[in-house]
């Protein structure tokens, strides 16, 4: 294995490029979804850019600017439009009183260099040859990382490529919102004078139903789930989609196919008792359900999703054909408008946002349509994105893409213990 050293050469807070107006030096209220206690955690990811040494379309002087220098300056400009990302959280999430104070304290930014090329570390494909902790930003000792809305680290490699490590607190933005902010940074990095999408705070437009009495505190038992990644060809996914359409007369998505297979393979590998219930939970965007109140041009970057849970007996999942499991997923998606409207009207008895982290619940996240793959700081789109959304107490499956130029879908899982891992791999590989 290559002996690799990553050296952090500078780290500091980056503040907005322009001073705040009196109206911007304020404390902003978060929405009912933002204030969900379970969202007060960091979402970590690596964005790998295997790029050329010169920037496209720039003059000779500008082309030799280093990625960290360019991105740092662009971050400062973007924060002038997205001041909450330069602010700090105040108040109590538990009491439902959390806010964002626009302090202009800044976003934490780390500049680092690696003494190897990206080719030396296989483009950071799995298994990682560089520790993720070396490539992700960490605040100064004693600082709670969940107190800073966003942190970035740009690590430059000897080949001219670079990696952007992102750590964002979910309380301030969902995946679409975070990608909107990062795309704004990339537009400034490419020399644009103003962002394509105008950011909208508008948290008061999100439904705010009466608070339900809190349920029992969630369990955070560590299950020791193991990591497993597999790539699925576009042809295989297309074949299943065609088969589903032929049988049902309806379309299904890559998400439906991939998640149905993971849920079925996991249930088979673990061998739950046939009468026990198993669940899959995913988090669809609900902006389209609020198009009467949210701005038509987009720009809202807060949390705007709803947890959809599909429940079945283990027997139903393991004995059904894959097309039937896909139908279960699609039936759950079809319930979204009604369930979201009932929650918005306060017509629920259990808070759907209060999640339970049990062994028999599979949580799913889809990174393919958030907008991160379109980010271009001036050296082209990312070759590879690695999300780290895993916690020891959650069984998870994340959809992404294999490193370019490969095509298809990458399924990243951490959902079975070591004793079930081989059976799970066999179930997945038998299909894909």
């Amino acid at each position: 294995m290559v002996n690799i050293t990553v050296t952090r050469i500078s780290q500091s807070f980056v503040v907005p490029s322009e001073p705040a107006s009196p109206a911007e030096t304020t404390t902003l209220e978060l929405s009912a979804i933002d204030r969900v206690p379970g969202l007060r955690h960091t979402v970590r990811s690596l964005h790998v850019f295997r790029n050329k040494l010169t920037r496209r379309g720039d003059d000779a002087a500008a082309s030799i600017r280093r990625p960290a220098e360019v991105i740092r300056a662009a971050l400062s400009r973007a924060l002038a439009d997205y001041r909450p990302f330069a602010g700090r959280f105040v108040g109590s999430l538990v009491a439902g009183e959390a806010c964002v104070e626009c302090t202009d304290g800044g976003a934490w930014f780390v500049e680092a260099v690696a003494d190897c090329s990206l080719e030396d570390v296989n483009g950071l494909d799995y298994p990682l040859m560089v520790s993720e902790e070396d490539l992700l930003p960490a605040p100064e000792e004693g600082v709670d990382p969940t107190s800073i809305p966003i942190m970035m680290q740009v690590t430059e490699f000897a080949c001219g490529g670079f990696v952007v490590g992102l750590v964002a607190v979910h309380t301030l933005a969902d995946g679409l919102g975070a990608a909107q902010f990062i795309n704004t940074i990339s537009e400034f990095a490419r020399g644009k004078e103003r962002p394509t999408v105008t950011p909208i705070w508008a948290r008061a437009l999100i439904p705010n139903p009466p608070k339900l009495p809190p349920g029992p505190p969630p369990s955070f038992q560590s299950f020791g789930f193991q990591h497993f990644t597999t790539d699925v060809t576009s042809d295989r996914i297309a074949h299943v989609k065609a088969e589903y359409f032929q049988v049902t007369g309806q379309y299904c998505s890559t998400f439906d196919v991939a998640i149905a297979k993971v849920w079925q393979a996991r249930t088979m590998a673990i061998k739950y008792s046939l009468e026990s219930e198993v669940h899959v939970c995913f988090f669809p965007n609900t902006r389209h359900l609020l198009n009467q109140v949210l701005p038509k041009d987009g720009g809202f970057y807060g949390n705007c999703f709803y947890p959809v849970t599909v429940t079945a007996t283990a027997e139903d999942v393991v004995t059904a054909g894959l097309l039937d499991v896909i139908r279960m997923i699609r039936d759950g998606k079809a319930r979204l408008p009604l369930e979201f409207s009932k929650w918005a009207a306060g017509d629920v008895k259990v808070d759907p946002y209060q999640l339970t982290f049990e062994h028999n619940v599979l949580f799913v996240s889809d990174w393919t349509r958030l907008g991160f793959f379109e980010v271009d700081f001036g050296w082209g789109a990312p070759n590879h994105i690695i999300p780290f959304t895993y916690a020891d107490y959650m069984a998870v499956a994340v959809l992404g893409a294999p490193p370019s130029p490969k095509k298809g879908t990458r399924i990243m899982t951490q959902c079975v213990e070591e004793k079930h891992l081989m059976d799970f791999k066999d179930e997945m590989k038998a299909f894909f």
Side-chain angles (χ1 to χ4, degrees):
M1 180 177 288
V2 181
N3 186 21
I4 299 151
T5 301
V6 174
T7 304
R8 292 182 171 97
I9 58 178
S10 72
Q11 46 190 2
S12 62
F13 285 107
V14 174
V15 300
S17 59
E18 300 174 3
S21 68
E24 291 174 315
T25 56
T26 185
T27 300
L28 299 173
E29 291 191 7
L30 293 162
S31 75
I33 304 177
D34 294 332
R35 295 195 303 266
V36 170
L39 293 185
R40 191 62 173 269
H41 69 270
T42 58
V43 179
R44 308 180 306 154
S45 56
L46 298 177
H47 305 247
V48 182
F49 295 81
R50 297 180 78 165
N51 301 291
K52 298 176 183 177
L53 288 171
T54 58
R55 302 183 75 201
R56 299 159 306 143
D58 284 350
D59 58 36
S63 68
I64 61 173
R65 294 181 67 196
R66 294 168 43 243
E69 177 188 6
V70 171
I71 295 171
R72 181 188 177 95
L75 170 62
S76 179
R77 290 193 62 186
L79 289 173
D81 292 303
Y82 289 83
R83 291 196 181 272
F85 277 106
R88 297 294 180 266
F89 297 110
V90 294
S92 168
L93 273 175
V94 176
E97 300 167 349
C99 300
V100 177
E101 189 172 348
C102 294
T103 62
D104 277 2
W108 187 244
F109 188 87
V110 180
E111 184 177 345
V113 294
D115 64 349
C116 65
S117 69
L118 282 169
E119 287 72 18
D120 292 334
V121 293
N122 193 30
L124 287 182
D125 201 0
Y126 289 111
L128 290 179
M129 298 172 65
V130 182
S131 167
E132 64 195 71
E133 302 303 331
D134 286 337
L135 299 173
L136 288 165
E140 294 176 315
E141 188 174 351
V143 176
D144 178 5
T146 65
S147 69
I148 305 170
I150 195 156
M151 300 187 290
M152 299 180 69
Q153 175 172 320
V154 178
T155 304
E156 298 171 347
F157 283 74
C159 57
F162 59 98
V163 175
V164 177
L166 293 179
V167 177
V169 179
H170 210 318
T171 296
L172 190 58
D174 60 12
L176 286 167
Q180 177 182 310
F181 175 59
I182 301 303
N183 268 293
T184 296
I185 298 173
S186 75
E187 289 184 331
F188 285 132
R190 297 197 310 273
K192 287 201 170 186
E193 287 300 316
R194 57 186 69 245
T196 301
V197 178
T198 302
I200 302 294
W201 181 257
R203 307 299 164 110
L205 300 180
I206 298 297
N208 187 24
K211 288 187 64 175
L212 292 166
S219 168
F220 297 105
Q221 178 183 350
S222 175
F223 294 113
F225 292 133
Q226 301 295 300
H227 179 83
F228 171 65
T229 292
T230 188
D231 293 335
V232 190
T233 66
S234 300
D235 288 346
R236 185 58 183 143
I237 293 287
H239 175 79
V240 178
K241 289 181 180 180
E243 188 179 9
Y244 187 83
F245 182 79
Q246 184 177 19
V247 171
T248 67
Q250 298 178 337
Y251 293 98
C252 67
S253 67
T254 298
F255 176 93
D256 302 331
V257 175
I259 296 315
K261 184 56 192 177
V262 174
W263 190 29
Q264 187 177 58
R266 178 178 193 264
T267 306
M268 288 177 169
I270 294 174
K271 297 180 176 61
Y272 289 108
S273 61
L274 293 181
E275 68 278 5
S276 63
E277 288 188 336
V278 290
H279 317 270
V280 60
C281 181
F282 46 94
F283 306 91
N285 169 39
T286 54
R287 285 165 175 78
H288 62 292
L289 301 178
L290 295 171
N291 57 12
Q292 296 301 312
V293 294
L294 288 179
K296 299 292 188 294
D297 296 334
F300 179 79
Y301 60 95
N303 286 287
C304 196
F305 65 88
Y306 185 84
V308 170
T309 299
V310 178
T311 299
T313 65
E315 181 176 20
D316 285 343
V317 175
V318 301
T319 61
L322 181 63
L323 300 187
D324 292 322
V325 182
I326 292 173
R327 194 198 308 263
M328 295 180 197
I329 301 294
R330 292 191 56 76
D331 288 346
K333 293 167 83 170
R335 299 196 313 266
L336 172 64
L338 177 60
E339 290 190 2
F340 182 72
S341 65
K342 291 180 70 173
W343 168 79
D347 186 20
V348 294
K349 295 180 180 179
V350 178
D351 185 353
Y353 291 91
Q354 186 168 330
L355 304 176
T356 56
F357 306 106
E358 304 295 340
H359 192 284
N360 61 342
V361 184
L362 174 67
F363 293 94
V364 178
S365 178
D366 184 356
W367 280 62
T368 62
R369 299 187 179 185
L370 298 178
F372 287 114
F373 286 95
E374 290 71 50
V375 170
D376 178 359
F377 294 106
W379 289 268
N383 154 267
H384 187 28
I385 295 177
I386 311 166
F388 299 102
T389 57
Y390 311 134
D392 289 342
Y393 52 84
M394 296 175 69
V396 297
V398 180
L399 296 194
S404 61
K406 296 179 183 177
K407 304 295 184 182
T409 298
R410 171 160 289 189
I411 306 174
M412 296 159 276
T413 63
Q414 194 165 310
C415 66
V416 297
E417 295 121 308
E418 189 169 359
K419 62 185 177 182
H420 300 129
L421 186 58
M422 287 307 301
D423 287 341
F424 178 67
K425 288 182 178 180
D426 289 344
E427 293 291 344
M428 292 292 291
K429 290 180 178 178
F431 178 73
F432 294 133

